Amino acid sequence: MVFYMLRSQLAAFLLFPLLALALVNEQTVMGEAQTDLSSHSTQTLADFLTIEPSASIFYDYARGIGLGNRLGDDSSVITLLVPMNKAIMKLAKKPHQDKVRMDEGVVLTEEEMYNRSQKNVERWIAAHMVPVHPIDFDSQSYPTLLDGTSVSFEIVKGDPNTPEWSNVLVNKDIRIVGCKEASNGIYYLIDGVLETP
Ligand SMILES: *[C@@H]1O[C@H](CO)[C@@H](O)[C@H](O)[C@H]1NC(C)=O
């Protein structure tokens, strides 16, 4: 089972709500004939992200913590806020790096270092996942999968002939520059990050 595998891969509890959700949904779907779960697309978030070169860094990080399967299955829906490569490259610290520099002289084993960086990535990715779809942009705030962290949306004046998402500010100053609706949710490409490593 994909989920049990995933569960063991993700040591950090941060993504547990997502996994719990996936497990619950799996139980309700299992045994029934697969009804039409897709509204517009038969392609998953993973399918779309695979062919989204401007978001390859985020997707690499997501796959690196074992989320590839999760983004490729239809058992539950999710909204992803996906920072473009450009936004990640601008960061002073990369998502796998520690927020706070550790004391000099503390020696970590390779495994400890690996575990820490995985955990940092898990937190960072979780801050870009909202376990809701669709979301309402009108002055709404949604909890992300990173405990205690929300993301806010606000519609601003813009060209009425453009899609709604193009006139939205995320966390007050981040723009949405693209969007793809998949069978298992949606992702918005954003020109910033929601959580600074
Ligand atoms: C690293 O993570 C693995 C998997 O969660 C765990 O079994 C192991 O004990 C951890 N190692 C260290 C040194 O923390």
Side-chain angles (χ1 to χ4, degrees):
M1 282 271 140
V2 159
F3 294 117
Y4 299 114
M5 218 174 73
L6 196 59
R7 201 170 172 177
S8 60
Q9 280 172 7
L10 294 172
F13 60 93
L14 287 162
L15 286 169
F16 185 72
L18 170 69
L19 297 171
L21 193 69
L23 287 165
V24 169
N25 287 353
E26 185 190 30
Q27 276 161 10
T28 59
V29 170
M30 247 175 5
E32 296 168 20
Q34 198 79 358
T35 47
D36 184 20
L37 293 171
S38 58
S39 43
H40 304 291
S41 174
T42 55
Q43 293 193 285
T44 64
L45 290 167
D47 293 331
F48 283 123
L49 284 168
T50 303
I51 52 168
E52 186 75 72
S54 63
S56 60
I57 299 178
F58 180 89
Y59 190 44
D60 282 346
Y61 274 120
R63 281 184 303 175
I65 57 165
L67 271 183
N69 291 331
R70 168 62 187 80
L71 297 177
D73 79 59
D74 285 318
S75 57
S76 63
V77 293
I78 194 151
T79 295
L80 288 179
L81 284 309
V82 178
M84 309 234 302
N85 291 351
K86 274 192 283 192
I88 299 174
M89 288 188 291
K90 270 194 247 165
L91 295 171
K93 276 191 177 171
K94 300 305 167 214
H96 63 275
Q97 292 179 312
D98 288 332
K99 246 185 200 238
V100 184
R101 198 170 148 62
M102 290 201 320
D103 295 340
E104 298 286 344
V106 177
V107 182
L108 293 182
T109 65
E110 212 163 289
E111 187 184 333
E112 283 166 339
M113 270 177 353
Y114 175 79
N115 283 8
R116 278 178 90 106
S117 71
Q118 288 290 95
K119 196 158 181 176
N120 291 340
V121 172
E122 282 165 10
R123 290 179 56 86
W124 187 77
I125 292 282
H128 293 86
M129 299 176 89
V130 177
V132 174
H133 169 65
I135 55 172
D136 177 7
F137 287 132
D138 203 1
S139 299
Q140 290 278 338
S141 179
Y142 292 90
T144 69
L145 289 181
L146 179 60
D147 243 4
T149 305
S150 296
V151 54
S152 70
F153 299 96
E154 179 194 350
I155 298 173
V156 291
K157 268 207 168 52
D159 184 347
N161 299 316
T162 58
E164 189 187 38
W165 56 257
S166 64
N167 299 318
V168 166
L169 285 183
V170 184
N171 282 358
K172 297 204 186 321
D173 60 1
I174 296 170
R175 302 301 301 222
I176 297 177
V177 295
C179 158
K180 207 62 114 188
E181 180 149 27
S183 57
N184 56 349
I186 197 162
Y187 70 76
Y188 296 100
L189 280 176
I190 54 176
D191 68 358
V193 301
L194 303 187
E195 169 83 359
T196 315

